[in-house]
Amino acid sequence: MSQKHPIIFFGTSTFGSSHVPALQDKTIVSQFLDVLHDGGITQIDTAARYPPDNHGASERMLGRVKAHARGFTINTKVLFAGNNSAGTLSREAVRKSAANSLETLGADKLGILYAHTSDNATPLEEQAEALNEQYQKGLCEKIGISNFPLDMLKSFIDICEEKGYVKPTVYQGQYNLVCRGPEKKLLPFLRAHGMAFNAYSPLGGGFLTGNLTKGTAEGTRLTSAYGAHFARWYDRPEFHDAVRALLRAIEPLGIRPSEAALRWVAYHSALREADGIILGATKAEHLRQNLADIEKGPLPQEVVDVVADIGRTIDALGGGDFEVVPANLPPR
Ligand SMILES: NC(=O)c1ccc[n+]([C@@H]2O[C@H](COP(=O)([O-])OP(=O)(O)OC[C@H]3O[C@@H](n4cnc5c(N)ncnc54)[C@H](OP(=O)(O)O)[C@@H]3O)[C@@H](O)[C@H]2O)c1
């Protein structure tokens, strides 16, 4: 019987990327949907920006493989192109992006429509009104916010309350066993406001496979233009120490690092059942393996204790949190 864990989403930021030629192939992408279907996963995460080197190609691919018609709920984000998010959440920009996403996906309604990242050029009131408009038109089931600093999220919610706009019910942010920043202030705030947290990069974009630490990352995403920003974020002695501590605990037990990281986030992290875990994979067999690993259930206590130690160390270093600065994201 399936064990209780947060809702699993599959993230498609690599679909259509020039860095992953296989994922420009409709037949191969279709295989990912088969794996999701077999695993009972119905939620897909995408964005008008994805993949960062070919904006819109992920949604186009999802449209071509008829993901919506096959019963998947598609959750997407308002477009921000390049590395400048100024103006991306204006009324017109939100209207245009949502309409384009729906058409490209061949869908009449989105699951969650997110603001992808903060827009410091558009008044927050206009952003809240713009997202409210999409919700009131029935074009999405929920409004979500991704990557906003906490103060901005607070102001956004205050505006929704004042003006009677629909409030966001989901926040999407980075969270994994070495990126623990959200536990401190963000998660308590979300709990107080009845918002779910959808955790992206549960493997730190591949860092928690241990390959970068072991010097075996050649040929993986971390050494490509697409994943280099993850390598830049995580390639720090304290994170490598964390991975080495994890490896010492799991290798005698025959547990792979990706498995440990996913089982930790599913069963031992601060996430709850109504939250989400957004998996990433560029190979269908990795996705199948990740889904099977999660179903193995909680980790042995000795591994949980080691991850708790890692959490304390990371906390002392400032939480291992990453502010998503548009300029640090992958190139167009
Ligand atoms: N809101 C935002 O700003 C934001 C930011 C980042 C991500 N996201 C969302 O979250 C999704 C997932 O993020 P992510 O791709 O960073 O997730 P992730 O799970 O942290 O990293 C995925 C990478 O880990 C490696 N991997 C996965 N399973 C593996 C396995 N079983 N064995 C070995 N390696 C494995 C793969 O690297 P290789 O490709 O090298 O095989 C894969 O590309 C994205 O697609 C997107 O939908 C949102």
Side-chain angles (χ1 to χ4, degrees):
M1 199 179 78
S2 180
Q3 317 221 29
K4 291 190 171 170
H5 53 64
I7 300 160
I8 304 296
F9 292 70
F10 180 61
T12 60
S13 62
T14 46
F15 281 7
S17 170
S18 58
H19 301 299
V20 193
L23 297 183
Q24 295 176 34
D25 182 326
K26 193 178 151 193
T27 312
I28 292 178
V29 167
S30 231
Q31 288 165 5
F32 280 79
L33 298 199
D34 293 341
V35 173
L36 293 173
H37 182 266
D38 293 349
I41 308 302
T42 59
Q43 299 286 337
I44 289 180
D45 186 77
T46 186
R49 177 183 174 80
Y50 295 160
D53 57 296
N54 188 9
H55 299 322
S58 172
E59 289 183 341
R60 285 195 291 279
M61 188 54 90
L62 289 168
R64 286 177 66 202
V65 297
K66 303 200 176 343
H68 175 71
R70 285 181 65 176
F72 291 95
T73 298
I74 319 287
N75 307 287
T76 194
K77 313 183 189 81
V78 175
L79 177 67
F80 91 89
N83 57 14
N84 183 1
S85 57
T88 54
L89 294 173
S90 72
R91 194 176 296 107
E92 269 319 302
V94 171
R95 277 182 192 154
K96 202 171 148 197
S97 181
N100 191 53
S101 291
L102 283 164
E103 189 186 340
T104 307
L105 292 162
D108 49 0
K109 191 166 190 164
L110 302 164
I112 307 162
L113 176 64
Y114 291 95
H116 199 150
T117 194
S118 56
D119 165 5
N120 294 320
T122 304
L124 217 44
E125 285 84 352
E126 182 177 335
Q127 301 179 26
E129 187 197 346
L131 289 165
N132 178 64
E133 181 184 67
Q134 301 306 305
Y135 177 83
Q136 300 302 346
K137 280 187 184 164
L139 300 180
C140 57
E141 283 162 22
K142 296 176 186 177
I143 293 298
I145 296 292
S146 184
N147 301 317
F148 274 27
L150 182 53
D151 284 352
M152 190 180 282
L153 176 65
K154 284 180 182 164
S155 304
F156 189 96
I157 289 176
D158 287 347
I159 291 166
C160 292
E161 284 174 352
E162 261 170 49
K163 304 271 183 185
Y165 298 151
V166 65
K167 288 192 273 187
T169 50
V170 192
Y171 183 93
Q172 189 178 133
Q174 183 159 202
Y175 183 57
N176 57 54
L177 70 83
V178 294
C179 176
R180 306 287 285 274
E183 291 174 2
K184 283 254 168 200
K185 291 185 181 153
L186 179 62
L187 275 166
F189 176 84
L190 299 180
R191 302 301 182 221
H193 286 79
M195 289 179 71
F197 182 80
N198 284 349
Y200 68 71
S201 301
L203 297 179
F207 177 72
L208 291 172
T209 61
N211 285 329
L212 201 64
T213 304
K214 290 190 282 188
T216 52
E218 204 44 53
T220 74
R221 181 173 149 186
L222 294 172
T223 58
S224 80
Y226 179 72
H229 67 293
F230 283 108
R232 274 204 305 279
W233 276 335
Y234 286 107
D235 190 8
R236 295 163 37 166
E238 52 271 35
F239 291 136
H240 289 299
D241 286 347
V243 168
R244 278 189 280 270
L246 183 70
L247 291 173
R248 280 194 298 277
I250 60 177
E251 278 175 350
L253 301 171
I255 297 174
R256 277 170 293 97
S258 59
E259 174 188 336
L262 293 176
R263 289 170 69 187
W264 179 83
V265 82
Y267 301 104
H268 308 283
S269 72
L271 298 186
R272 298 178 180 170
E273 275 175 55
D275 294 320
I277 301 172
I278 309 176
L279 301 178
T282 54
K283 298 168 193 77
E285 62 269 27
H286 281 168
L287 174 60
R288 195 183 294 282
Q289 181 179 69
N290 295 346
L291 295 177
D293 284 345
I294 289 172
E295 290 312 315
K296 290 178 187 168
L299 288 161
Q301 190 56 43
E302 62 257 49
V303 179
V304 179
D305 291 343
V306 167
V307 179
D309 278 345
I310 290 172
R312 280 187 283 274
T313 311
I314 300 281
D315 189 41
L317 295 164
D321 203 2
F322 298 102
E323 190 186 347
V324 178
V325 179
N328 287 343
L329 288 168
R332 294 172 64 112

